[in-house]
Amino acid sequence: MPRLTRFLALLAVLAIVQPVAVAQAAEQVVISDGHVDLGPRFADGQWTVQLRDDTGDEPKWRALSDVVLHVAEAAKTAVPDDPAYDFLGDRGSPIWVLPQVEQDGVVWPGWNTQDPEVTAAIDREVTWRLHGVRGPGRFVLFLSGNFGAPTTIFTSTATTPQETGIEVGTHVHGNWVFGAPGTYLLDLEMAASTKDRGEVADRRVLRVHVGDDTDPRSAFDVAVAEPEQQAEPAPEPADSRWWVWVGLGGALLVVAAVVVVVVRRRRGER
Amino acid sequence: MHVRAFSRATGAVLAVLLTACNATAGGGAADGVSVVATTEILADLVRNVGGERVRVDSLVPPGGDPHSYEPVPADAKKVAGADVTFTNHLLLEEQRLIKAIDANVREGTPNVSLAEASETYGAHVIPLVENIGLDVLWLGLRVRGDGKDKGATRSSEVRLAATALDGPGELVVYLTEALGKPVVYFDSADEFSDVDAATLPPAAHTHLNWAFTKPGVYRLTLAASLLNGNGSAPVPLGESTFTFAVGVDPTGVAGTVLNEGHTDLTVDLDTGGLYTLNDAAGGTNQRQVVPAADAVIEVPNKAIATVPDDPRFAFLGAAGATVHQLPQAVLGKHVHGEIDPHLWQDVRNARAYAELIRDTLRTADPDGAEIYDRNARAYLDRLDELDGYVRETVARVPRERRHLVTTHDGFGYFAAAYEMTVAGFVVPNPAQEPSVEDVRKLSETVRNLKVPAVFMEPNLAQRASVLSQVAQDQSVGVCVLYGDAFDDKVHSYVDMMRHNADEAARCLA
């Protein structure tokens, strides 16, 4: 991608991330840098998997449908020449890694069960399930342990659902690995038993966009078949949204969108 | 993996079975109710609640080990003839025994897994620890606050430098990156200098490995400064000295022992100064500040790790040497969904078992309900008294000596209920063989903590040979704790728990 268009795409991202203070709760954001956590909370009393966004001045819980995690090009590396990492792909092949430990310039996603209502209500642990992955390449979530020995939590190379436990009141980070650029949809569920012997569960899709060659915002256009009982709140009226976009320099967005469309077409022709 | 789901299923099945039983049989009460329990301990609880009205058989023979006992054909016959069957389960008994029971229980008779169903009677359960090396404090570094009054911006950085270490060995603080490459932040081996520093942006935190080369008490001094860039001079933020108890008992070293959950050595940009910021396990006491001078960070002997044969980790010492290491990630210490099965080592849990046994017998044999109620009331009173006795007896041992080293990981509930620690064991499960590394770790544990005695279980003779050898090498006593079975001296649950309390007090005081 020529430098100028990348610059425009970046501007577009900035424009979208900026209006936190202006827009209402249902704004859609692309997060490319800083700390976020997946986790359950009782949103309006309803057990819901959300994303805690710590990239602004104040932490903010967002609906997964309003977020794209953008894996910037800075996250690109290669599968090491070490048999311990063969589960990530062929040695030397490119991978995009969001590491367990914070790295400048890439988003740092973790997961936590620390919401006070959650710690008060849930017994022992939350079960975290991966129901499926849609995307252009391999997806692996793993932990680096003592002396770096990797432990896989989820991998798209095995059958789903897969599950792991998250103790209540904990906050964990892992290594998120993607094998090719493009949009990934991670179909995730968090379930738990409550202390009063009830059951809670919620299943949502997390969008991840890998690489800088295409607009991460395009990930919002990838349709998700959401289960029926999880109807999203009614979208904002189209005109108010339009107003926000104009306020941010809609022309710029349109330019970026055109570039993206062209790039995608070319890929499609191959 | 699916124990909890299974437990709920069991509960549901139990309810159905009980109803069915109610409707059809009424239990062979005329010649007494026939009950089969897997272990002697469970059989004893049933006898106390059922009294003369029940005949109780246990499948695992006296002194036998439920973890390894495999069923014989006579067991299937016993189960098939039983009106009620009790197992502990949660993977206590050998799987073939559970399968044999499930395959042979008569249709319509209750088949109750006590450990799994007793939670509804208030039993307290502990998740099963799979990797004890991860069952330790998770220690990181953090920058708290925005420091706006000190000119900090989002592009500022905070530099944390190690300036002094006082202790018997060396400390290396390092990070293993995603793809296995270690990055060292502080290494005391070559004297601290400008390179022994970590840099974090405001409001950031990071997790690191903390490796100590020898046991003992360490004091680490960290100094923080704020870097606002553009050539401006660093703004000093103060310094603090943090204390670590490595392999030794932390009691009395400082007021607050930090040994579980998540702690960050924290620079506060707003107030200046460094302190520990703690998220206790289980979600209580979130974000508790403990000043550096009041806190001691425990690095227990279960954190002993062997330096790998990999040149990239040579900074930790020679391959095969041991370090005490708090790891950078602790997820995976528990087996997802699995629970430690030895619930009865906490007398309050045995109480829950007794109540569940009472209600099961009542439903299977309604004509005997009054008798079961009366027996249970009397027995629950005895258990309450027993709980108090064990608590008071163990409390006589000074806190810093309440360390249990045992043959298998069967005393987690005893330790949790009566304020002791499980310092080590030969193997987690008696069906496993200890490795050379396990034995060495056990020896180091006994030596570092200077425990006066280790504890063997009379039914685990083979494991006891490893423990006896360690005890002999370290010149410490060998005492007896009853875990999963009785022997020719102890024939009841109450006697067993009284013995365990007395023995712990006698051998550790």
Side-chain angles (χ1 to χ4, degrees):
Chain A
M1 193 184 233
R3 183 167 289 171
L4 176 64
T5 52
R6 189 184 292 174
F7 177 65
L8 286 177
L10 181 64
L11 271 185
V13 171
L14 287 175
I16 294 153
V17 177
Q18 284 306 317
V20 173
V22 184
Q24 295 304 304
E27 72 191 317
Q28 294 188 318
V29 298
V30 172
I31 301 175
S32 306
D33 197 357
H35 179 250
V36 296
D37 273 331
L38 273 174
R41 64 188 284 262
F42 289 96
D44 300 322
Q46 191 73 31
W47 172 266
T48 314
V49 180
Q50 293 196 334
L51 189 98
R52 184 188 147 115
D53 177 359
D54 287 329
T55 63
D57 287 336
E58 292 292 326
K60 183 178 171 65
W61 286 92
R62 298 181 186 277
L64 293 197
S65 55
D66 294 337
V67 178
V68 169
L69 293 186
H70 176 216
V71 183
E73 210 57 28
K76 189 176 177 182
T77 178
V79 176
D81 186 14
D82 178 345
Y85 292 92
D86 284 353
F87 68 103
L88 298 180
D90 296 333
R91 292 176 206 175
S93 64
I95 45 171
W96 285 255
V97 181
L98 301 177
Q100 192 164 322
V101 173
E102 187 163 19
Q103 179 187 326
D104 261 357
V106 300
V107 63
W108 189 33
W111 51 97
N112 86 58
T113 51
Q114 292 181 309
D115 183 75
E117 275 185 87
V118 169
T119 59
I122 299 304
D123 195 23
R124 285 204 296 275
E125 69 170 351
V126 172
T127 297
W128 185 18
R129 291 191 188 91
L130 174 73
H131 285 281
V133 181
R134 266 171 55 199
R138 186 179 294 197
F139 161 68
V140 181
L141 176 61
F142 76 97
L143 298 172
S144 309
N146 267 9
F147 311 121
T151 309
T152 301
I153 299 174
F154 295 135
T155 172
S156 63
T157 60
T159 55
T160 53
Q162 296 159 21
E163 67 175 51
T164 186
I166 315 169
E167 277 171 80
V168 165
T170 58
H171 173 204
V172 180
H173 280 266
N175 303 291
W176 304 69
V177 181
F178 301 88
T183 295
Y184 293 73
L185 301 186
L186 309 182
D187 180 355
L188 303 168
E189 180 187 10
M190 289 187 179
S193 302
T194 57
K195 286 176 182 164
D196 56 9
R197 319 226 156 261
E199 302 289 330
V200 287
D202 186 48
R203 185 168 162 183
R204 302 276 163 172
V205 168
L206 175 67
R207 288 181 172 83
V208 181
H209 188 84
V210 177
D212 294 346
D213 287 352
T214 51
D215 181 0
R217 202 170 167 80
S218 65
F220 283 120
D221 303 334
V222 182
V224 173
E226 297 251 12
E228 275 178 19
Q229 75 274 15
Q230 293 175 1
E232 295 295 322
E236 279 180 82
D239 53 352
S240 78
R241 213 183 254 197
W242 175 241
W243 182 86
V244 172
W245 283 27
V246 169
L248 294 167
L252 202 66
L253 272 175
V254 171
V255 171
V258 168
V259 171
V260 168
V261 168
V262 170
V263 171
R264 284 163 118 199
R265 278 248 186 89
R266 283 207 191 120
R267 290 182 157 232
E269 280 163 12
R270 263 187 251 164
Chain B
M1 197 172 210
H2 298 287
V3 166
R4 280 165 66 209
F6 183 73
S7 144
R8 283 190 291 276
T10 311
V13 169
L14 171 61
V16 170
L17 289 179
L18 291 178
T19 320
C21 190
N22 239 347
T24 56
D31 54 342
V33 178
S34 165
V35 179
V36 165
T38 46
T39 70
E40 296 173 282
I41 294 171
L42 300 183
D44 179 59
L45 298 179
V46 176
R47 257 178 224 115
N48 276 284
V49 175
E52 307 271 304
R53 206 173 165 86
V54 300
R55 282 179 288 103
V56 190
D57 264 322
S58 56
L59 299 181
V60 181
D65 171 21
H67 298 280
S68 57
Y69 175 73
E70 292 185 25
V72 296
D75 293 336
K77 211 174 146 197
K78 281 186 195 166
V79 171
D83 301 313
V84 181
T85 309
F86 290 109
T87 59
N88 185 76
H89 207 30
L90 288 179
L91 306 180
L92 173 77
E93 296 95 341
E94 225 281 337
Q95 271 308 293
R96 271 165 285 200
L97 180 57
I98 295 295
K99 279 189 189 146
I101 290 169
D102 290 347
N104 287 289
V105 281
R106 219 166 62 238
E107 215 183 314
T109 62
N111 173 13
V112 181
S113 161
L114 288 167
E116 291 173 30
S118 64
E119 225 186 326
T120 54
Y121 285 79
H124 164 67
V125 302
I126 299 176
L128 190 65
V129 174
E130 181 177 44
N131 184 340
I132 61 162
L134 300 181
D135 189 24
V136 296
L137 180 70
W138 193 19
L139 185 66
L141 296 174
R142 179 183 293 267
V143 178
R144 201 183 190 200
D146 57 28
K148 280 187 181 133
D149 62 329
K150 295 184 178 65
T153 64
R154 294 188 66 125
S155 59
S156 297
E157 291 189 314
V158 173
R159 187 170 182 275
L160 261 170
T163 56
L165 181 76
D166 173 34
E170 307 298 344
L171 164 64
V172 189
V173 180
Y174 71 99
L175 169 73
T176 305
E177 290 187 338
L179 302 178
K181 186 175 139 242
V183 178
V184 174
Y185 287 95
F186 314 140
D187 184 350
S188 69
D190 53 355
E191 301 300 312
F192 285 143
S193 66
D194 277 355
V195 300
D196 294 290
T199 308
L200 284 95
H205 85 285
T206 189
H207 298 127
L208 299 161
N209 298 287
W210 303 73
F212 297 84
T213 59
K214 288 196 172 79
V217 174
Y218 290 73
R219 293 180 208 282
L220 168 70
T221 304
L222 294 180
S225 51
L226 174 65
L227 310 173
N228 286 331
N230 299 326
S232 57
V235 181
L237 293 166
E239 66 171 34
S240 284
T241 299
F242 296 92
T243 305
F244 298 80
V246 178
V248 297
D249 190 282
T251 311
V253 177
T256 302
V257 177
L258 302 173
N259 58 9
E260 57 165 14
H262 177 203
T263 289
D264 286 319
L265 306 188
T266 302
V267 183
D268 194 317
L269 270 183
D270 297 331
T271 64
L274 290 85
Y275 49 71
T276 67
L277 186 65
N278 310 286
D279 293 328
T284 52
N285 267 337
Q286 299 278 310
R287 295 287 162 87
Q288 184 201 7
V289 171
V290 179
D294 299 342
V296 53
I297 294 154
E298 183 178 3
V299 187
N301 291 302
K302 57 191 170 186
I304 292 174
T306 304
V307 176
D309 187 9
D310 178 340
R312 293 178 302 175
F313 290 93
F315 56 84
L316 292 174
T322 58
V323 289
H324 282 74
Q325 173 168 279
L326 296 181
Q328 67 187 39
V330 300
L331 189 84
K333 68 182 172 187
H334 292 146
V335 191
H336 171 48
E338 288 189 3
I339 301 298
D340 181 343
H342 307 87
L343 274 79
W344 61 87
Q345 290 288 344
D346 175 346
V347 179
R348 288 165 305 181
N349 285 343
R351 209 182 183 284
Y353 277 27
E355 290 183 274
L356 174 56
I357 290 167
R358 174 198 64 203
D359 290 354
T360 308
L361 293 177
R362 276 176 57 118
T363 317
D365 171 26
D367 294 346
E370 248 177 74
I371 295 169
Y372 301 135
D373 280 348
R374 196 169 58 235
N375 291 346
R377 262 198 308 277
Y379 191 54
L380 292 175
D381 285 347
R382 281 182 70 197
L383 293 182
D384 287 341
E385 191 191 326
L386 174 67
D387 185 53
Y389 178 83
V390 175
R391 192 171 307 281
E392 285 158 26
T393 307
V394 172
R396 287 205 295 271
V397 180
R399 190 71 191 80
E400 69 276 12
R401 295 168 75 96
R402 287 188 218 156
H403 300 293
L404 291 176
V405 175
T406 60
T407 33
H408 92 291
D409 186 15
F411 297 91
Y413 288 94
F414 188 77
Y418 306 109
E419 296 179 344
M420 306 191 74
T421 62
V422 175
F425 38 77
V426 181
V427 283
N429 182 315
Q432 295 163 330
E433 285 298 326
S435 66
V436 174
E437 208 175 317
D438 291 335
V439 176
R440 184 169 65 174
K441 201 163 158 174
L442 195 70
S443 304
E444 289 187 28
T445 301
V446 169
R447 184 171 63 234
N448 294 342
L449 284 173
K450 302 186 176 69
V451 296
V454 297
F455 297 90
M456 56 162 272
E457 293 157 76
N459 62 322
L460 298 175
Q462 306 93 322
R463 293 293 162 268
S465 66
V466 172
L467 195 63
S468 307
Q469 188 61 49
V470 168
Q472 195 185 329
D473 294 347
Q474 305 290 330
S475 308
V476 301
V478 178
C479 295
V480 169
L481 285 184
Y482 292 92
D484 304 336
F486 302 146
D487 67 356
D488 52 353
K489 298 193 197 77
V490 160
H491 307 280
S492 78
Y493 171 73
V494 171
D495 287 351
M496 157 181 149
M497 294 305 293
R498 286 183 83 91
H499 166 94
N500 285 357
D502 291 340
E503 189 85 339
R506 181 178 72 82
C507 298
L508 296 179

